[in-house]
Amino acid sequence: MAITASLSLPQWGTFGLNDHNSGAFTGRNSLVDDAPYYANLSPVDGEALPSVQRISLNTYDRVVQEAERAFKRWRLIPAPRRGEVIRIFGEKVRRMKPELARIISYEIGKTYQEALGEVQEVIDMCDFGVGLSRQLYGLTMASERPHHRLFEQWHPLGVVGIITSFNFPVAVWAWNAVIAAVCGDTTVWKPSEKAPLSALAIFSLLREAVEETDTPEGVFNLVIGDASLGQQMASDSRLPLISATGSVRMGRSVAQQVAKRLGRTLLELGGNNAVIVSPHAHLDLALRAVAFAALGTSGQRCTTLRRLILHEQIYDEFLSRLLKVYEQAVTRIGNPLHPDTLIGPLIDKAAVQAMQDALHEVKAMEGTVLFGGEVLEGPEYKSGCYVRPAIVIAENHWPVVQRETFAPILYVMKYRTIEEAIELQNSVPQGLSSSIFTDSLREAELFLSPAGSDCGIANVNVGPSGAEIGGAFGGEKETGGGREAGSDAWKAYMRRQTVTINYGTDLPLAQGIQFEV
């Protein structure tokens, strides 16, 4: 694998990783299991990664039991003290940021710069969580009855199950685990089976933080397995909340299993995100935003730009300029650890095939592939996971456009009126992120109005890909309706309790009801 001198291969030993890694951790300890080991291949060079053990169902049961025991202690520790382990953990991640980024980059193919950004997101979440530990507010309401106080308070929920996807192997876990911990919950985390080493690396730092504080064993737990383990978690009544990030198909399955037991879900599923470029837009600004949103993480973000909706007046000019940007960008496809690389590989050959299948479907619909789509060959692409991003002229109603293909395919379409553009934007099953580029106040306000974007995230003169942790993250429709990270997303991890206190000597009833015995 060709790496520049300044960026070496990940040093697995720094995080306690070796050729064979256990797949279950509870609190401070690794659990011994007799389940088989399995190994992934790096999409960077096709080389075998260190193997990781799949846990057995018996070991999973032990982990959940430990999490239940820990919850009974953890919920009684004051929230600011719970925030202390998060503060220490964040400091450790900050010190190891470059090393963690290398592991993420090599394991999943994300560019080193983007991997650094992901690790920074974990750090930011820790900072946010420490502050939140002193701000778990309830409301006080005016009671209609004299000498009564009416208020609400929030209590820890229990053991939270967290299921994450490969494309953000540590950040999405932090969105959930950091907030859950300061809220007083314990967690059981199943990372993607495509990215177990990133999870093990970040968890090794967390274990150090646990050991340096009075955090009970079992507050944070890690279990590694395939989809069957996720199904086990979804059907486990000991987990009152399942937070799951991934495909719509996976989310439907999880939601059905959790609903059967009347549990809670927090779902962040697929996106089919659009950018509207108005004739009133700053085109240079829009062009830069479109390029990053469509090409970043090789099209493997839930917020990746998939549909570009261009006004007919600027359609030809913008598309011509975008093609030139793509022509320059594809000269920088390669090893994601190299500092000059803009576009790394897809996660595996199955993702490459899914992209090819989508492009074949486009051609069957008589669509036009204007640019790219080829699988790259050569010694530097020996993993078979490198592709040229594609630009396609398509119709919004085509089935291939209506679903999310987790690859760098950008569908381009044309509009006449802003109302038509918003209708195109909304006419897909998913509802995660959306953007409009315009300097027209009327267009911007219409886009943000109840008649505008139906997505959970709406941006003006900002691309759809990438979000700050201070805002709640998530989407509507088939995206699942969940909200993670900032704002008041913490409430999902707690149970609300409405409290009434009578400090008088009479017993007036609500609504003026008279009941005398």
Side-chain angles (χ1 to χ4, degrees):
M1 172 174 150
I3 310 279
T4 61
S6 61
L7 292 171
S8 61
L9 278 170
Q11 296 183 1
W12 309 110
T14 304
F15 299 95
L17 301 175
N18 49 47
D19 288 340
H20 299 288
N21 301 277
S22 176
F25 294 91
T26 174
R28 299 176 173 83
N29 301 319
S30 171
L31 298 181
V32 178
D33 207 339
D34 57 1
Y37 286 84
Y38 69 102
N40 292 325
L41 303 178
S42 170
V44 175
D45 55 13
E47 297 296 324
L49 295 165
S51 60
V52 179
Q53 189 179 41
R54 302 180 188 223
I55 72 160
S56 66
L57 293 182
N58 287 337
T59 300
Y60 165 77
D61 189 60
R62 290 165 56 196
V63 169
V64 175
Q65 289 177 12
E66 189 65 38
E68 286 186 304
R69 285 192 290 268
F71 172 67
K72 292 178 180 178
R73 292 180 55 196
W74 188 239
R75 64 185 176 180
L76 298 177
I77 294 174
R81 284 181 56 198
R82 297 195 294 255
E84 180 65 7
V85 67
I86 299 302
R87 183 187 65 80
I88 293 174
F89 169 59
E91 291 175 352
K92 291 180 179 294
V93 175
R94 186 175 275 107
R95 288 195 293 270
M96 298 299 291
K97 180 178 175 179
E99 291 81 2
L100 283 167
R102 289 188 185 99
I103 288 178
I104 293 169
S105 184
Y106 187 59
E107 183 174 41
I108 70 166
K110 178 180 292 188
T111 65
Y112 180 65
Q113 278 299 313
E114 289 193 72
L116 285 171
E118 177 168 0
V119 178
Q120 185 61 47
E121 198 162 344
V122 176
I123 296 166
D124 293 344
M125 278 306 306
C126 289
D127 291 345
F128 182 87
V130 173
L132 180 65
S133 70
R134 295 180 181 271
Q135 300 180 72
L136 300 174
Y137 300 133
L139 295 176
T140 298
M141 288 75 74
S143 174
E144 66 184 64
R145 291 171 284 184
H147 304 113
H148 280 61
R149 184 158 71 93
L150 179 63
F151 66 97
E152 68 180 21
Q153 59 186 2
W154 296 82
H155 290 308
L157 186 61
V159 184
V160 174
I162 303 171
I163 301 171
T164 58
S165 58
F166 75 87
N167 58 329
F168 281 85
V170 297
V172 175
W173 163 77
W175 291 356
N176 288 274
V178 166
I179 303 304
V182 299
C183 287
D185 300 324
T186 58
T187 55
V188 176
W189 174 28
K190 188 198 98 60
S192 169
E193 61 269 29
K194 297 180 181 181
L197 296 173
S198 299
L200 288 166
I202 199 81
F203 206 81
S204 70
L205 299 180
L206 181 61
R207 290 168 68 195
E208 291 179 8
V210 166
E211 291 171 357
E212 294 174 16
T213 60
D214 58 357
T215 303
E217 182 178 334
V219 170
F220 302 98
N221 304 280
L222 171 65
V223 292
I224 292 175
D226 57 17
S228 64
L229 178 59
Q231 288 295 322
Q232 178 73 15
M233 293 172 67
S235 61
D236 193 338
S237 60
R238 296 171 295 179
L239 308 180
L241 171 66
I242 296 291
S243 175
T245 302
S247 68
V248 172
R249 179 182 57 82
M250 179 276 289
R252 281 202 182 100
S253 177
V254 167
Q256 289 170 4
Q257 292 296 321
V258 176
K260 286 180 182 178
R261 58 181 177 86
L262 298 180
R264 297 191 199 177
T265 54
L266 195 169
L267 301 176
E268 200 281 284
L269 309 175
N272 197 347
N273 316 293
V275 164
I276 298 168
V277 183
S278 158
H280 306 293
H282 186 304
L283 294 188
D284 289 343
L285 184 69
L287 190 66
R288 293 199 301 271
V290 165
F292 174 72
L295 299 174
T297 324
S298 302
Q300 297 175 116
R301 290 182 178 224
C302 54
T303 55
T304 290
L305 172 58
R306 312 240 175 249
R307 296 175 298 133
L308 179 59
I309 305 171
L310 301 174
H311 191 273
E312 60 184 7
Q313 290 181 15
I314 53 95
Y315 181 90
D316 290 335
E317 176 189 355
F318 194 90
L319 191 53
S320 175
R321 294 180 63 182
L322 183 61
L323 285 167
K324 292 178 181 178
V325 170
Y326 267 61
E327 288 169 357
Q328 294 173 355
V330 297
T331 65
R332 298 169 66 181
I333 298 173
N335 188 318
L337 286 162
H338 194 284
D340 292 331
T341 296
L342 280 182
I343 304 169
L346 297 184
I347 183 64
D348 54 27
K349 291 182 180 178
V352 174
Q353 187 59 52
M355 179 178 180
Q356 298 308 302
D357 291 344
L359 293 175
H360 287 314
E361 191 172 342
V362 164
K363 293 173 184 176
M365 298 294 294
E366 298 186 353
T368 302
V369 178
L370 281 183
F371 184 91
E374 305 89 352
V375 180
L376 298 178
E377 298 179 351
E380 67 271 41
Y381 309 124
K382 66 178 182 178
S383 69
C385 298
Y386 293 85
V387 297
R388 279 164 56 96
I391 298 177
V392 175
I393 305 301
E395 297 291 336
N396 197 63
H397 65 272
W398 291 352
V400 68
V401 180
Q402 288 284 304
R403 67 175 184 266
E404 179 186 47
T405 299
F406 223 51
I409 303 175
L410 179 61
Y411 300 111
V412 182
M413 53 203 73
K414 188 184 297 185
Y415 79 94
R416 284 187 175 183
T417 69
I418 183 62
E419 291 80 8
E420 178 190 358
I422 292 172
E423 180 64 22
L424 286 170
Q425 140 68 39
N426 293 344
S427 295
V428 292
Q430 310 83 359
L432 180 52
S433 189
S434 58
S435 298
I436 186 170
F437 281 82
T438 181
D439 287 340
S440 164
L441 180 62
R442 175 185 173 272
E443 289 184 335
E445 289 294 339
L446 180 62
F447 183 75
L448 299 175
S449 76
S453 170
D454 64 0
C455 293
I457 300 170
N459 302 305
V460 176
N461 295 331
V462 176
S465 185
E468 298 180 35
I469 60 100
F473 183 90
E476 301 302 322
K477 301 189 292 188
E478 286 190 357
T479 302
R483 293 297 186 274
E484 298 170 304
S487 185
D488 65 348
W490 60 269
K491 293 179 180 178
Y493 306 90
M494 305 195 83
R495 57 182 178 90
R496 186 196 309 247
Q497 187 175 74
T498 301
V499 181
T500 305
I501 298 175
N502 179 1
Y503 56 92
T505 57
D506 295 324
L507 191 64
L509 300 178
Q511 293 83 48
I513 294 173
Q514 298 296 318
F515 187 81
E516 299 294 338
V517 179

